[in-house]
Amino acid sequence: DGGITQSPKYLFRKEGQNVTLSCEQNLNHDAMYWYRQDPGQGLRLIYYSQIVNDFQKGDIAEGYSVSREKKESFPLTVTSAQKNPTAFYLCASSIGGTEPRNEKLFFGSGTQLSVL
Amino acid sequence: AQSVTQLGSHVSVSEGALVLLRCNYSSSVPPYLFWYVQYPNQGLQLLLKYTSAATLVKGINGFEAEFKKSETSFHLTKPSAHMSDAAEYFCAVKGGGGSNYKLTFGKGTLLTVNP
């Protein structure tokens, strides 16, 4: 089945620790995204990548880092600099290309990150 | 800059009643608008999208939305609610910040369906 796989489903972080959230897609999509979801605040864009080996900051990139070494993978690292990391993290992908404005996003099932 | 505002963080309806979820947009250019649905502890699924081809857009599960430029609105409706429609719904606009790739979401509306 084609889709987006996020792991783990639940993750706990100790103070001062970096943690990495995995996102893998087998849809052959060029574009990938990370969103953070907090109750009552909707989704906010952390980082996005339009193509392999390239990525851009979203609206709330501070305290996060990403890499895009392979087309199918877009891991997100939550660093110790992110002081309020507890949230639901969603990875998404889309076909991409030069006119992506009307295309839809495909979402993973999310990772719930909590601080110990 | 593109943005959307969803009016009402929580809407409660009876089974069989009309569902109306409100979304207003702010855009300096013709917008590309979307409605997504999220079931508990899951990712989002696309319900429908507006791309300027037609003002009345039909989506999955019996939902539809009408683009009204004069009112800068893109409200989501369904004639008769089912229990399975209980979920959180997000309106979104594509673009903004100089990027065609950014999708900006509203804060969401939680729909409760009462038997």
Side-chain angles (χ1 to χ4, degrees):
Chain A
D1 288 340
I4 301 179
T5 302
Q6 289 188 243
S7 62
K9 191 169 181 64
Y10 300 96
L11 185 59
F12 297 91
R13 193 193 89 166
K14 295 179 181 179
E15 191 173 343
Q17 184 182 40
N18 292 352
V19 292
T20 298
L21 284 61
S22 171
C23 177
E24 303 278 331
Q25 55 100 357
N26 60 5
L27 300 168
N28 199 33
H29 286 170
D30 282 320
M32 296 187 75
Y33 313 77
W34 274 106
Y35 285 90
R36 169 179 172 144
Q37 184 177 18
D38 296 278
Q41 293 196 40
L43 281 73
R44 293 179 289 169
L45 183 64
I46 305 173
Y47 269 98
Y48 64 103
S49 169
Q50 298 169 228
I51 200 166
V52 175
N53 292 322
D54 186 48
F55 50 83
Q56 288 79 39
K57 293 182 179 180
D59 300 317
I60 56 165
E62 186 174 350
Y64 300 96
S65 66
V66 294
S67 63
R68 187 82 188 279
E69 297 176 0
K70 297 186 295 183
K71 186 176 184 178
E72 59 270 24
S73 179
F74 192 41
L76 174 74
T77 297
V78 184
T79 75
S80 58
Q82 173 50 247
K83 299 306 180 187
N84 184 24
T86 297
F88 190 54
Y89 291 85
L90 285 162
C91 180
S93 71
S94 64
I95 294 173
T98 57
E99 288 294 328
R101 287 177 297 174
N102 63 348
E103 63 177 9
K104 73 175 187 179
L105 267 61
F106 293 78
F107 283 84
S109 297
T111 293
Q112 176 63 50
L113 175 63
S114 302
V115 176
L116 290 176
Chain B
Q2 279 85 339
S3 66
V4 290
T5 301
Q6 292 184 242
L7 303 176
S9 60
H10 188 195
V11 170
S12 183
V13 301
S14 298
E15 191 173 19
L18 171 71
V19 175
L20 172 60
L21 305 182
R22 300 177 187 273
C23 173
N24 287 89
Y25 69 89
S26 171
S27 175
S28 58
V29 297
Y32 291 82
L33 294 161
F34 304 78
W35 275 100
Y36 282 83
V37 60
Q38 183 181 33
Y39 298 101
N41 299 313
Q42 293 187 26
L44 279 68
Q45 302 173 31
L46 181 69
L47 274 178
L48 50 83
K49 63 180 180 181
Y50 168 73
T51 59
S52 76
T55 56
L56 183 62
V57 182
K58 294 188 182 298
I60 61 171
N61 301 337
F63 284 93
E64 63 182 35
E66 185 172 9
F67 174 74
K68 292 187 176 181
K69 186 176 179 179
S70 61
E71 299 177 7
T72 61
S73 68
F74 191 56
H75 301 332
L76 182 71
T77 60
K78 182 174 180 178
S80 176
H82 294 166
M83 297 295 291
S84 60
D85 294 328
E88 191 157 21
Y89 293 80
F90 293 92
C91 183
V93 62
K94 199 69 174 288
S99 168
N100 287 340
Y101 286 84
K102 289 184 63 174
L103 192 65
T104 301
F105 288 87
K107 294 188 176 183
T109 298
L110 181 64
L111 176 66
T112 301
V113 182
N114 303 309

